[in-house]
Amino acid sequence: MISYIGKRMIAIIPIVFIATLVTFALIHISPVDPAEAYLTAAHIYPTPELLAQKRHEFGLDQPLLTQYAHTIQKIAKLDFGTSYLTNKPVWDEVKLRLPATAELAFWSMLLSVLVSIPLGILAAVYKNSWIDMVSRAISYFGASIPQFWLGYLLIFFFSVKLDWLPVEGRGSWENLVLPTITLSLILIAVYTRLLRSSVLEQLQETYVQYARTRGIRERVIMLKHVLKIAISPLITGMGMSMGKLLTGTIIVEQVFSWPGFGRYFVDAIFNRDIPVIQCYVFLAACLFIVCNLLVDLVQLVMDPRISAKGRAEH
Amino acid sequence: MSVQHRKSSALMLATMLLLLFVIVGCSNTGSGDESSSAASDQTSTKSITMSWPRDIGTMNPHTYNPSQLFAQSMLYEPLISYQKDGKLEPALAESWTISDDGKVYTFKLRQGVKFSDGTPFNAEIVKKNFDAVMKNKDTHSWLGIVGVLDKTEVVDDHTFRLTLTEPYYPVLQDLSVVRPFRFLGEAGFPDDGDTSQGIKEPVGTGPWMLAEYKQDEYAVFKRNPNYWGTAPKVDQITVKIIPDGETRVLAFEKGDLDLIYGEGMISLDAFQELRDNDEYVTQLSDPVGTRSLLLNSSNPKLSDVRVRMALQQGFNKQAMVEGVTSGLEEPADTVLSKNYPYTNVDLEPITYDVEKSKALLDEAGWKLPAGGTVREKDGQQLDFEMIFDKTDPIQKAMAETIQAEWSELGVKVNLTGLELTVQIKRLKANDFDLYFWYNYGAPYDPHSFINVVASPGFGISETLSALPMKKELDDQVHAALSSTDETKRQELYGSILKTLQEQSAIVPISYIKKTAVYQKKISNFIFPANRDENPFVGIELGNQ
């Protein structure tokens, strides 16, 4: 197992390398000169001298290869440089915002698991009953409504009309409720359907019929046998969405004025704040890989039929 | 699954959950208490809560983005303050004299002024601030005074002198802008005196001081107890950072915000809705800038004044502005509105007249071919590319309207939506036919406007490059900027504005206005004359 984890960790290096290369290339293909974008954002008129000075300061006057080598060198030392916009170390700024996004991601994930597991199972067991209908309605609604619109709707009803919860900001648990629901709904929609179909699939399996003929109670069959296997695709889904949640809560952060990582990144894109963009891509790549690894490990532990060796070769 | 396996899997899941709890728990410490203390303060003090889309920034008076102008102007004051209709009034300078040659400015500083930390404001600290700004001259070269400033001197404790290399009349206007020439107290200066790399703490002479700040979340400004002028009527201004316009409106409707003001803070639809609601008060400012359309005369098709004139006359400005902005912008007849100095000049408006437009295009040789819809001349079609900021709904709607109206004249317009930075880049590279452009507003105009008319690199001089009288126009601009004679200056401005009006290369569309929406408990809200300043000093709170 340890060698498997080790191998997977080493695999991070080429993936991150490719991610930074693609980002670097995209930034340089873009028609906007970061030095010019910086000056424009700062409301400073970009005279040719000033542009040259800024380009030199940012190292943009170096050959592309040197620039890239320099970037990689710095990232390897986990030095993400200084933000063009705020003049502060990027890592400090990220550290300030990442916890807010992590908080939101955590509660959204928890809520979606707590809702979708029972709902998915019940929808499968009582197929075509009212509870299945309800779960289907929630899924359609959750999957089709745009997140920003859902956010506004929730604010309108629960904050403005009913005055139960704050409109925006971060601080107390009350601030968490609406953004968490907004983020979870789509996850609940996906997880519930995933679990429902995978439970239904397992219920058709012969081992369930044998268990039934052996007189084992339905509840035991469900919890001890079916669920253990049926939950596997859900875990994969959770792993994928964990990465997405940590890096992609941009719209929800915007709507609820949540001072997180997503908002910071959007600003960075508009201002062509290259060090920030590079740091974001690096972190996003690492997060996705780590989440993936965690998923595989959990599945490995839960289902011993998947051997560590087999997985690693897979 | 064996017992062993079950145990290990349960253990692993528990560890993962615990880890997440620890991360989340650590990240959450304290923030709840802070915001609740800010909230409880509000009940005992006279407080106003407003919102702003971006964090207030570093509050350094000498640097730009990401610091927000309105916040900088709450803490830091100018020597001279810009008031309605361009009147210049004493602020930290009580009076000033200008030498006959227009090169030496001597300022008598107001006595008894203290910074918020109690240290005195005097000529020494004025010089220190000027020198800190001039140390990074390149950064500030966009401001005219920076290019001509030669020497700063402390004459005595309360007299400060500036010497210029050549006369430049808008010195006083330039000193009234929010950044960079405002004053940081001694305690704020870094050890090496170079404020461009950051300041130690925000200490100013202004009516407010920063009392509490959480980056990206909120900032609380309290009254400066050492303020020399009339103290603000409210004790505290809380600025909540809300990046989304719709959320801002919902927070206002819930009563979490007392005031929303600024340019483009909320959508025009939302403003309209709030205006129709009797529970709230809404206000529109005087024009703060003009939305114009540049017709690039360096394009051979647009170099003919008859074509430019035909295009200006060929769309219904009134209907378009009313339709697109719901009447929140005012149709503009002249490039600069008349609330700036020197701009109250009688100019003949160019009115909507489709028949005249068609006649002018015919006269210029652009004829509609039989059965065709686009005019032609020498085998070429009369077509243009109009570039606009694709994230700006007003520009997009206006571009589409103009495209439709001009197609009736036989003029084809291809629309290209661009990211703002790309749009600006193309303006500066003179790589456009038609472009939405805005002037700078007070206190920068009218001198900044005429400056870009004559100086290459900003896109405007290039737009005007094929005008037959361009050389003369440039000479007039230089004469106006360096003139020490008020009457002469007025004459020159009149002539420049008349030429531009007649040449129709900068087509005025509408005057942009700031909007304000506030709860009824607020009174005496007045928009600042300086586009970048804050309106908080005069605000009063009624009985609530």
Side-chain angles (χ1 to χ4, degrees), chain A residues 147-167:
Chain A
Q147 273 187 337
F148 70 92
W149 179 240
L150 176 65
Y152 292 146
L153 281 181
L154 292 175
I155 294 177
F156 183 73
F157 284 112
F158 294 103
S159 303
V160 180
K161 289 287 156 203
L162 297 171
D163 200 14
W164 288 352
L165 293 161
V167 174

Side-chain angles (χ1 to χ4, degrees), chain A residues 42-44, chain B residues 58 62-68 72 139-140 142 179-180:
Chain A
H43 302 288
I44 301 170
Chain B
T58 54
H62 302 158
T63 58
Y64 302 85
N65 221 8
S67 292
Q68 300 298 297
Q72 283 170 308
T139 310
H140 312 294
W142 63 275
R179 51 200 187 193

Side-chain angles (χ1 to χ4, degrees), chain B residues 90-103:
Chain B
L92 289 177
E94 217 164 35
S95 62
W96 53 90
T97 51
I98 306 166
S99 66
D100 289 342
D101 65 357
K103 287 189 355 189

Side-chain angles (χ1 to χ4, degrees), chain B residues 139-185:
Chain B
T139 310
H140 312 294
S141 61
W142 63 275
L143 195 65
I145 182 179
V146 173
V148 292
L149 187 55
D150 184 31
K151 213 165 60 177
T152 56
E153 280 168 274
V154 172
V155 179
D156 62 43
D157 206 24
H158 286 96
T159 315
F160 172 72
R161 183 175 291 153
L162 288 178
T163 310
L164 312 181
T165 52
E166 57 185 87
Y168 170 72
Y169 95 84
V171 162
L172 302 176
Q173 280 85 351
D174 279 3
L175 293 183
S176 73
V177 305
V178 173
R179 51 200 187 193
F181 289 110
R182 293 204 175 188
F183 306 96
L184 176 71

Side-chain angles (χ1 to χ4, degrees), chain A residues 200-258:
Chain A
L200 280 177
E201 206 177 286
Q202 291 304 316
L203 288 176
Q204 305 300 318
E205 293 288 327
T206 42
Y207 75 88
V208 175
Q209 287 162 25
Y210 285 136
R212 279 187 183 139
T213 45
R214 283 193 349 249
I216 299 175
R217 276 181 300 156
E218 275 299 313
R219 181 180 297 179
V220 178
I221 296 175
M222 183 57 71
L223 294 178
K224 277 191 133 182
H225 304 281
V226 172
L227 200 56
K228 214 170 67 192
I229 300 166
I231 212 155
S232 170
L234 184 67
I235 289 171
T236 310
M238 276 166 60
M240 299 311 288
S241 38
M242 199 59 185
K244 246 192 221 166
L245 274 176
L246 284 166
T247 54
T249 58
I250 297 164
I251 293 170
V252 173
E253 285 179 7
Q254 187 83 3
V255 169
F256 291 95
S257 308
W258 194 262

Side-chain angles (χ1 to χ4, degrees), chain B residues 53-122:
Chain B
R54 301 182 68 110
D55 184 67
I56 57 161
T58 54
M59 298 303 284
N60 182 337
H62 302 158
T63 58
Y64 302 85
N65 221 8
S67 292
Q68 300 298 297
L69 288 151
F70 90 92
Q72 283 170 308
S73 78
M74 289 173 80
L75 262 59
Y76 304 108
E77 293 184 297
L79 287 178
I80 290 143
S81 133
Y82 184 96
Q83 297 298 327
K84 206 168 166 7
D85 295 324
K87 241 178 98 187
L88 295 168
E89 282 185 3
L92 289 177
E94 217 164 35
S95 62
W96 53 90
T97 51
I98 306 166
S99 66
D100 289 342
D101 65 357
K103 287 189 355 189
V104 182
Y105 285 69
T106 310
F107 299 92
K108 277 275 168 222
L109 304 180
R110 191 178 293 276
Q111 305 226 3
V113 174
K114 283 181 181 166
F115 283 97
S116 57
D117 64 349
T119 52
F121 170 80
N122 53 32

Side-chain angles (χ1 to χ4, degrees), chain A residues 31-33 36-37 40-47 49-50 53 85-88 93 96-97 99-100 102-103 106-107 110 152 155-156 159-160 163 165-168 170-172 176 224 228 242 253-257 259-260 263 267 269-272 294 297-298 301-304, chain B residues 1 5-6 8-10 12-13 16-17 20-21 23-24 27-28 31-33 35 53-55 58 64-66 69 138-142 179 196-198 213-217 240-247 250-251 253-254 256-257 391 419 421-422 424-425 428 456-459:
Chain A
V32 179
D33 176 2
E36 199 173 342
T40 312
H43 302 288
I44 301 170
Y45 178 69
T47 57
E49 301 81 50
L50 209 53
Q53 186 198 323
L85 197 64
T86 59
N87 222 4
K88 288 184 188 158
E93 300 248 345
L96 193 80
R97 292 165 173 92
E103 187 186 359
F106 170 75
W107 291 110
L110 194 67
Y152 292 146
I155 294 177
F156 183 73
S159 303
V160 180
D163 200 14
L165 293 161
V167 174
E168 49 75 47
R170 179 180 175 226
S172 69
L176 259 171
K224 277 191 133 182
K228 214 170 67 192
M242 199 59 185
E253 285 179 7
Q254 187 83 3
V255 169
F256 291 95
S257 308
R263 240 169 79 185
D267 277 350
I269 292 176
F270 278 112
N271 293 306
R272 295 293 193 278
L294 281 177
L297 288 180
V298 171
V301 172
M302 286 185 65
D303 189 350
Chain B
M1 191 184 270
H5 256 119
R6 211 179 304 155
S8 67
S9 74
M12 185 153 177
L13 274 172
M16 274 174 63
L17 272 174
L20 273 168
F21 266 117
I23 295 174
V24 172
S27 70
N28 209 6
S31 50
D33 299 341
S35 57
R54 301 182 68 110
D55 184 67
T58 54
Y64 302 85
N65 221 8
L69 288 151
D138 284 347
T139 310
H140 312 294
S141 61
W142 63 275
R179 51 200 187 193
S196 71
Q197 297 307 311
Y213 168 57
K214 195 144 200 264
Q215 195 177 357
D216 276 354
E217 294 188 39
K240 281 192 176 185
I241 310 305
I242 303 181
D244 186 79
E246 298 307 320
T247 309
L250 289 166
E253 286 181 321
K254 181 168 186 274
D256 287 353
L257 299 177
T391 60
E419 197 187 327
T421 34
V422 183
I424 295 173
K425 195 182 163 79
K428 291 188 173 140
F458 297 90

